[in-house]
Amino acid sequence: MNTQDLIKIEDDYFINTFTRQPVILDHGEGVKVTDIDGNEYLDMFAGIAVNCLGHNHPKLVSAIQNQASKLIHISSIYYNEPALTYAKKLVDKTSFDRIFYANSGAEANEGAIKLAIKYTGKSEVISTIESFHGRTSMTLAATGHEDYQEPFKAILPNGFINVEYNNIDALKEAVNENTAAIIVEPIQGEGGVNVPDIEYLKEIEKICHEKNIVFIVDEVQTGFGRCGTLFAHELFDVKPDIMTMAKGIGGGVPMGAILATEKVASAFVPGDHGTTFGGGPLVCAAANAVLDVFDEDNILDNVNEVGEYFISELKKLDKDIIADVRGKGLMVGLELTKPGAEYVDKLRQAGFLINCTAGNVLRFVPPLIITKSEIDEFIKALDEIL
Ligand SMILES: *Cc1c(COP(=O)(O)O)cnc(C)c1O
């Protein structure tokens, strides 16, 4: 079947939830992906900031292949070695003490919020406008987007308050004796790559300490080196109580996790939370390989070096249509003075995959292994297209 006929299957059979780019991707190598018609693209999108090691990374692929031939799934009722070794490896790299394995970002946030509610015995959660925390009813209530929430108002849980991002006064005003948790992204991703003031997270930490509120950072997008440190909250010198992660964790396999301090984690006892698939041997083998490659290949150094270069090259583009260039590491946004969709199309036609978020922000979240020369290729195309 050709591309048009295959795409028609979606029109006829899928529940209609996504606006997709009209290409059928077939295989990838490093930062390049190729569609079924043989067209090659430079992948500046990495499956929404997921494919941190690019495509077909030999160590990731062989870890998955080896594990698949041993065990794929056994449930959380039995131990598996990859989940045990990975827990120690990851937790030891952070200021947290304990892990819970989930399968996605939304599921990690859902569990994090449950943990905060159980720990505090309180009932309200504060999150920010333009945030993104997921599509389950609790995480949707935390996601500060009226348009996503509106059709489901009837089933959204009570107790979620959305306040302006990067506005500490708005947050202080919302805090009250019922506040169980404050959940924020260290840098907002879907909201348009919004980098807060350097004090913002520190101030949140202070409020949380003073009022015995659980400080949750949602690092689903910013985690795993995306912003130049293993986790982005490190850039702001804070120690949250809970951190959630997903996207980059397994280099592309679906996985999520919650990390928590000993004190907060102790609120959960057997029966309070669970999952059938979470922490399975296949995804944990992948996650182990990802962290090993981070160490062996100094991935964070590459993110910092190439990320800085990328942002400085973007700032050199002298176009009336550019309103702002912002980001950290390889999480970069180019705000335009008009909607960005047409540029996503034009770049794709020129062989570059990007996306547009918040209507007018071109978002670049390439694999963390991208090189300066690949950035040069992209900048040249972007320059011509803008
Ligand atoms: C993508 C994202 C989520 C949701 O993750 P899913 O795996 O799609 O459920 C949550 N929080 C942030 C910050 C995200 O970027």
Side-chain angles (χ1 to χ4, degrees):
M1 268 197 269
N2 66 29
T3 296
Q4 285 319 313
D5 291 343
L6 282 165
I7 285 179
K8 182 141 189 319
I9 295 176
E10 184 198 43
D11 297 342
D12 294 343
Y13 289 91
F14 282 31
I15 292 177
N16 182 19
T17 53
F18 291 102
T19 308
R20 286 180 222 268
Q21 300 284 307
V23 289
I24 302 178
L25 297 176
D26 183 65
H27 60 276
E29 188 66 42
V31 185
K32 299 273 165 87
V33 285
T34 305
D35 69 19
I36 61 168
D37 299 318
N39 302 306
E40 196 180 75
Y41 305 88
L42 185 75
D43 185 3
M44 299 295 292
F45 186 49
I48 326 187
V50 168
N51 303 99
C52 51
L53 302 182
H55 302 277
N56 200 23
H57 191 287
K59 286 188 182 143
L60 178 59
V61 170
S62 76
I64 293 170
Q65 283 173 338
N66 288 340
Q67 186 57 47
S69 68
K70 290 169 70 184
L71 275 177
I72 292 175
H73 173 77
I74 50 164
S75 90
S76 310
I77 303 304
Y78 304 98
Y79 293 103
N80 76 77
E81 196 172 332
L84 295 164
T85 54
Y86 184 70
K88 179 164 168 42
K89 197 184 290 181
L90 179 67
V91 169
D92 285 352
K93 285 180 181 290
T94 71
S95 62
F96 300 90
D97 305 305
R98 291 184 181 272
I99 191 167
F100 175 86
Y101 289 114
N103 302 283
S104 68
E107 194 196 338
N109 284 330
E110 187 90 10
I113 293 166
K114 278 177 68 180
L115 179 58
I117 297 289
K118 178 112 195 281
Y119 172 73
T120 57
K122 294 176 180 175
S123 58
E124 283 186 7
V125 175
I126 303 173
S127 64
T128 62
I129 293 167
E130 296 294 311
S131 64
F132 189 81
H133 299 295
R135 303 284 194 168
T136 63
S137 54
M138 232 186 347
T139 59
L140 185 57
T143 291
H145 275 275
E146 285 274 344
D147 47 340
Y148 295 171
Q149 292 176 353
E150 180 43 43
F152 308 104
K153 273 266 152 50
I155 52 128
L156 293 191
N158 293 325
F160 284 80
I161 304 170
N162 308 144
V163 301
E164 195 186 2
Y165 189 63
N166 198 27
N167 179 339
I168 205 73
D169 292 331
L171 195 71
K172 279 183 180 159
E173 228 164 89
V175 167
N176 64 70
E177 70 280 1
N178 298 320
T179 309
I182 297 173
I183 179 168
V184 289
E185 293 156 84
I187 295 173
Q188 285 186 336
E190 304 301 303
V193 189
N194 302 318
V195 185
D197 297 335
I198 190 80
E199 324 75 79
Y200 182 59
L201 271 78
K202 203 82 194 156
E203 292 273 354
I204 296 177
E205 181 182 52
K206 203 168 125 211
I207 295 168
C208 288
H209 278 179
E210 280 168 15
K211 314 237 163 172
N212 199 26
I213 294 167
V214 176
F215 179 16
I216 307 174
V217 281
D218 177 345
E219 294 242 21
V220 170
Q221 187 158 156
T222 51
F224 291 92
R226 178 57 53 195
C227 301
T229 45
L230 190 57
F231 294 102
H233 71 271
E234 296 165 31
L235 295 165
F236 300 91
D237 190 28
V238 290
K239 288 195 166 70
D241 302 298
I242 301 180
M243 167 166 70
T244 58
M245 61 203 72
K247 292 194 165 87
I249 187 171
V253 299
M255 180 173 176
I258 304 168
L259 296 195
T261 60
E262 182 68 43
K263 194 168 86 167
V264 172
S266 67
F268 267 175
V269 296
D272 281 337
H273 199 54
T275 164
T276 296
F277 290 116
L282 188 73
V283 294
C284 289
N288 266 303
V290 167
L291 267 194
D292 289 347
V293 173
F294 266 60
D295 287 341
E296 289 159 17
D297 294 356
N298 300 316
I299 296 292
L300 296 181
D301 291 348
N302 192 62
V303 174
N304 285 308
E305 192 184 325
V306 178
E308 243 169 68
Y309 177 72
F310 186 20
I311 290 177
S312 77
E313 291 299 299
L314 286 171
K315 285 185 171 163
K316 284 187 204 157
L317 295 176
D318 184 23
K319 312 272 174 202
D320 290 341
I321 190 182
I322 297 178
D324 194 21
V325 176
R326 55 180 181 254
K328 267 280 172 206
L330 286 169
M331 181 164 166
V332 179
L334 185 78
E335 186 178 331
L336 302 177
T337 55
K338 56 185 281 211
E342 71 173 282
Y343 301 100
V344 175
D345 286 336
K346 285 180 179 158
L347 278 160
R348 188 189 64 251
Q349 283 149 10
F352 299 88
L353 301 184
I354 67 159
N355 94 318
C356 175
T357 189
N360 64 335
V361 181
L362 302 184
R363 177 174 47 171
F364 315 124
V365 282
L368 307 181
I369 56 166
I370 195 168
T371 62
K372 282 186 184 169
S373 70
E374 286 160 334
I375 293 291
D376 288 340
E377 242 182 88
F378 177 67
I379 292 281
K380 186 160 167 281
L382 184 66
D383 189 16
E384 278 162 23
I385 279 159
L386 291 181

